[in-house]
Amino acid sequence: MAMKKAKKAGKKSGKKSAKKSPAKKAAKKTTKKAVKRTAKKAAKKKTARKPNAAFMKPMMPTGPLAAIIGSIPTPRTEVTSQIWKYIKKNNLQDKANRRMINADEKLRALFGKAQASMFELTKYVSKHLR
């Protein structure tokens, strides 16, 4: 009887040693994932972002826009930043809702209304660029 118990104990311990511990499995999975990630990163080469030439092309402001920023040819990106400088300088951003711009005489001619959203700004500006 003692022999049978010894054999069973030997078989159980043999089975345990044959199975891999969960820590080893997890370590193996993470190393495989890490290898895949580094392979993907090596495959993708980051290139410098090129500016869009259409935005950088100088355009002539006309009408009410020229009264605000001047009448010299200016790129679209610069036009937007100059309008924001004008808005900040004259304190035209609405206090309660910062997304809204309160128009003075010059901006009212550009917008066509007393108040406009900052998201509508490019729509109104694009009408006055040639």
Side-chain angles (χ1 to χ4, degrees), residues 40-48:
K40 284 182 182 179
K41 286 181 182 177
K44 291 182 183 177
K45 291 185 179 180
K46 291 191 176 183
T47 58

Side-chain angles (χ1 to χ4, degrees), residues 77-93:
T77 53
E78 225 12 72
V79 168
T80 305
S81 64
Q82 287 179 2
I83 289 175
W84 272 108
K85 283 179 188 174
Y86 178 81
I87 291 167
K88 297 283 185 176
K89 180 182 148 192
N90 294 314
N91 202 19
L92 297 173
Q93 202 168 4

Side-chain angles (χ1 to χ4, degrees), residues 34-117:
V35 169
K36 285 182 181 179
R37 281 190 210 131
T38 55
K40 284 182 182 179
K41 286 181 182 177
K44 291 182 183 177
K45 291 185 179 180
K46 291 191 176 183
T47 58
R49 189 168 173 234
K50 296 178 185 175
N52 189 344
F55 286 120
M56 302 310 287
K57 180 184 172 189
M59 300 190 76
M60 190 67 154
T62 60
L65 182 60
I68 297 169
I69 65 167
S71 59
I72 58 171
T74 313
R76 286 178 186 268
T77 53
E78 225 12 72
V79 168
T80 305
S81 64
Q82 287 179 2
I83 289 175
W84 272 108
K85 283 179 188 174
Y86 178 81
I87 291 167
K88 297 283 185 176
K89 180 182 148 192
N90 294 314
N91 202 19
L92 297 173
Q93 202 168 4
D94 193 34
K95 300 286 185 226
N97 187 357
R98 306 285 291 170
R99 290 178 291 188
M100 299 304 287
I101 301 163
N102 297 325
D104 60 350
E105 293 84 33
K106 289 181 179 180
L107 284 179
R108 191 167 290 135
L110 180 68
F111 297 155
K113 54 186 182 178
Q115 195 176 44
S117 167

